[in-house]
Amino acid sequence: MMPKPLLAAALALLPLAAQAQTAALPTDPAADWSVPTSEHRVAVEGGKVWVRVNGMIGTGATPVILIHGGPGGTHVNFGSLLSLADQRPVILYDQLDSGMSDHPEDPANWRPERFVAELEAIRVALGVARWHVIGHSWGSALALEYAARYPEHTASAVLSGTYISTPHWITGTNLLIRELPDDVEATIRACEGPSPPAAEVCEPATAAFYAAYNGRPDRPAPSPEMRAYRARYGGKGFNARLYNAMWGPTEFRASGSLATYDATHLLTQVDGKRILFVIGQYDEARLDDVQDFVALTPGAELAVVPGGSHAFISERPEVAEAILRDWMSRIDERESAGR
């Protein structure tokens, strides 16, 4: 999953919010995706989060913010989507305790409602009236919660690599385990049992699950630009402690605070015509489950990335970009027409 209100404390911090540093602009804001137009430290409940913007807020089409997975992941896998900045401002950020943001390492901050309030703090700090929110994996849950809580500020929400319910996710990943070779399935089941075998037995089986559904072996190698970007903007990287505390040890076992999380009820509270689900053909987010989510969201759309797993943004970047570009352009046209 690589992946409620208690907002008063976070919102009280908003007047402090943004301390911006403007970088040297490339001629084309999408030409060198390692160079942001501006960087910010935004005050949120628990600390400050790092935010980067490509493009100028207030110019171009409606801005978009990309919400990374985890919990505990970082923004870096969205690097290829900075090409969207030729049409609209693109906002990336690291959630608190991840990447370039502050790391207070306080479990009291590890609550979905605080992460949603974090998004709203960024919007206010940047002066964005309305934006597209694109969440991947755990970020999908935040995008859905945000769209339900702040419809007036949400042009659209994309639920990518869709995680919005732990019970659905765990049921789905256990069905996916059954599709692995018999010996791999048997090993995973043993490793999940009360007397698991040694790590050297379990780790290859877990890796086989990930190779099938979360980063397939034929995915492109990281480009030189991506490697340079990780070195420059990786910060403290992925936060395993946060991931384990909120989720658990593997993608198919939830033992943390999100073990009972379920936001499917919010699907009836959002404008379905402004919701897009996107998954990979071989995604951990199973097609059957996501089709059920679509059915609960009248007017919503579904896109499936051919050949992609849960990591389809890096595996099929051109396809992922085209889907998102088309979706946001159509929503913008609809808004311009007052529909």
Side-chain angles (χ1 to χ4, degrees):
M1 207 205 13
M2 288 273 305
K4 323 183 182 183
L6 182 56
L7 303 182
L11 295 177
L13 293 172
L14 296 182
L16 307 176
Q19 298 169 12
Q21 297 174 344
T22 302
L25 280 173
T27 304
D28 175 355
D32 179 358
W33 57 263
S34 70
V35 179
T37 303
S38 62
E39 295 181 57
H40 309 258
R41 305 291 298 185
V42 175
V44 300
E45 180 186 352
K48 292 184 178 180
V49 295
W50 175 86
V51 181
R52 61 166 285 159
V53 182
N54 271 48
M56 301 296 291
I57 303 294
T59 64
T62 303
V64 58
I65 185 164
L66 301 168
I67 309 166
H68 66 73
T74 76
H75 75 285
V76 294
N77 290 327
F78 290 136
S80 62
L81 295 178
L82 282 168
S83 53
L84 296 169
D86 64 350
Q87 287 186 326
R88 67 187 71 246
V90 175
I91 304 162
L92 303 181
Y93 78 109
D94 286 330
Q95 294 159 24
L96 192 70
D97 281 312
S98 299
M100 297 276 287
S101 291
D102 287 356
H103 283 246
E105 300 289 341
D106 182 355
N109 293 320
W110 300 346
R111 317 180 318 274
E113 61 270 20
R114 195 214 59 80
F115 287 101
V116 176
E118 185 174 86
L119 272 170
E120 178 63 0
I122 293 169
R123 184 196 66 79
V124 172
L126 297 182
V128 175
R130 197 164 168 81
W131 57 6
H132 299 278
V133 292
I134 297 177
H136 186 74
S137 196
W138 150 250
S140 290
L142 299 181
L144 176 59
E145 292 222 19
Y146 185 90
R149 190 167 297 161
Y150 300 104
E152 70 278 18
H153 301 308
T154 305
S156 78
V158 178
L159 312 183
S160 164
T162 314
Y163 162 76
I164 58 173
S165 164
T166 301
H168 286 82
W169 184 274
I170 295 301
T171 298
T173 53
N174 275 274
L175 289 172
L176 292 175
I177 290 171
R178 294 172 57 182
E179 298 179 13
L180 296 170
D182 290 348
D183 60 330
V184 175
E185 178 188 358
T187 301
I188 290 177
R189 300 299 184 200
C191 293
E192 294 296 297
S195 301
E200 57 264 28
V201 175
C202 295
E203 288 171 0
T206 300
F209 177 93
Y210 291 146
Y213 308 118
N214 192 347
R216 294 174 69 81
D218 63 349
R219 65 190 183 276
S223 66
E225 292 84 3
M226 174 59 82
R227 288 194 295 270
Y229 186 82
R230 287 181 183 276
R232 184 176 177 184
Y233 286 110
K236 293 185 178 179
F238 173 72
N239 189 330
R241 179 170 175 249
L242 168 55
Y243 177 80
N244 286 321
M246 291 193 71
W247 181 251
T250 67
E251 295 290 275
F252 42 83
R253 191 201 312 175
S255 56
S257 61
L258 292 175
T260 60
Y261 179 83
D262 191 343
T264 52
H265 65 285
L266 296 179
L267 296 174
T268 62
Q269 299 178 27
V270 295
D271 181 353
K273 297 187 297 297
R274 298 180 182 275
I275 304 295
L276 171 66
F277 296 85
V278 189
I279 59 170
Q281 179 181 355
Y282 304 107
D283 207 309
E284 292 177 319
R286 292 176 66 252
L287 178 59
D288 288 353
D289 292 329
V290 177
Q291 285 179 318
D292 289 342
F293 296 154
V294 175
L296 292 171
T297 319
E301 297 186 19
L302 168 64
V304 179
V305 177
S309 72
H310 195 57
F312 66 80
I313 291 174
S314 57
E315 292 168 336
R316 303 290 187 269
E318 296 87 357
V319 178
E321 177 191 333
I323 289 170
L324 298 174
R325 187 181 292 273
D326 171 74
W327 166 256
M328 291 188 289
S329 294
R330 287 190 289 116
I331 293 293
D332 290 347
E333 289 170 5
R334 189 188 306 167
E335 290 217 333
S336 296
R339 301 196 300 273

